[in-house]
Amino acid sequence: MNEERNRIRRGEMVRGKTQMRRIENATSRQVTFSKRRNGLLKKAFELSVLCDAEVGLVIFSPRGKLYEFASSSMQEIVERYKRHSKDKVQPENQAVGQNMQHLKLETASLMKKIELLDTSKRKLLGEGLGSCTLEELQQIEKQLERSVSAIRARKMQVFREQMDRLKEKEKALAVENAMLREKFGGLQQRQTSSGEKEGEVICIEGGSDKSDVETELFIGPPDECRIRRPLQN
């Protein structure tokens, strides 16, 4: 704290960190440009002298004014830079050219394979057989026989799979049918028991001093059901 006060007394100001953004004030921007331009030119000169480096520096002001520094000749530095850039870019261009050539060869090979496959397909369909030799025709015949055998084997496999599925479905239906039969049998037994109870004879006799009415009721099938009501005396 005391050291800072002493520095302030001696007129020394503590510089803060400069923010890297555009200076909005035109006057401050021009002053900063002049100071930093001179500092950059000075650093370029020091680098060329101290390190024996070939340095070329070009600066354009906001108004388009040119400022430059060259340790030897600016033209020679620019020509050297062009040669260096050309030598650096040439291997990349060469690699791109080789890659393009490889792609062209691969494309041509694929096109040839596609053409051969198309010709073979037409021959298998029975087209374009006029130019085929006897050996080629025999090879096509063998290939067709192998294809037919594979197709038949696959067809039999599909048939077996369908039969297995139908058998499983048949078993499931048989189990369901047995359950329904059992359920229907129990229901029929309950109905039979209920019918037997309804077929019993019910007799109602009433006798008293006030009424001499006697009623007999027989319940059963329609042909056997009858009701007898004696006449009152």
Side-chain angles (χ1 to χ4, degrees), residues 191-203:
Q191 289 179 352
T192 304
S193 301
S194 177
E196 291 177 353
K197 290 181 180 180
E198 291 178 355
E200 294 179 353
V201 177
I202 301 174
C203 296

Side-chain angles (χ1 to χ4, degrees), residues 146-163:
R146 289 194 297 269
S147 299
V148 171
S149 300
I151 292 170
R152 288 175 178 172
R154 176 57 183 167
K155 184 178 70 173
M156 294 302 298
Q157 182 181 359
V158 172
F159 281 163
R160 286 193 294 270
E161 292 175 356
Q162 289 181 353
M163 290 178 64

Side-chain angles (χ1 to χ4, degrees), residues 118-157:
D118 190 24
T119 303
S120 177
K121 178 183 176 182
R122 289 198 303 269
K123 290 179 180 180
L124 290 174
L125 293 175
E127 301 175 0
L129 299 176
S131 60
C132 294
T133 62
L134 179 61
E135 294 180 355
E136 291 178 351
L137 292 174
Q138 290 177 350
Q139 290 179 359
I140 293 172
E141 184 180 6
K142 291 179 180 179
Q143 186 174 359
L144 289 173
E145 290 176 354
R146 289 194 297 269
S147 299
V148 171
S149 300
I151 292 170
R152 288 175 178 172
R154 176 57 183 167
K155 184 178 70 173
M156 294 302 298
Q157 182 181 359

Side-chain angles (χ1 to χ4, degrees), residues 11 48 89 173 204 209 214 220 231:
S48 64
V89 174
L173 291 175
I204 301 175
D209 297 337
E214 181 179 355
L231 296 177

Side-chain angles (χ1 to χ4, degrees), residues 201-222:
V201 177
I202 301 174
C203 296
I204 301 175
E205 295 181 356
S208 62
D209 297 337
K210 297 180 180 181
S211 176
D212 295 333
V213 178
E214 181 179 355
T215 303
E216 293 182 358
L217 177 62
F218 296 92
I219 298 176

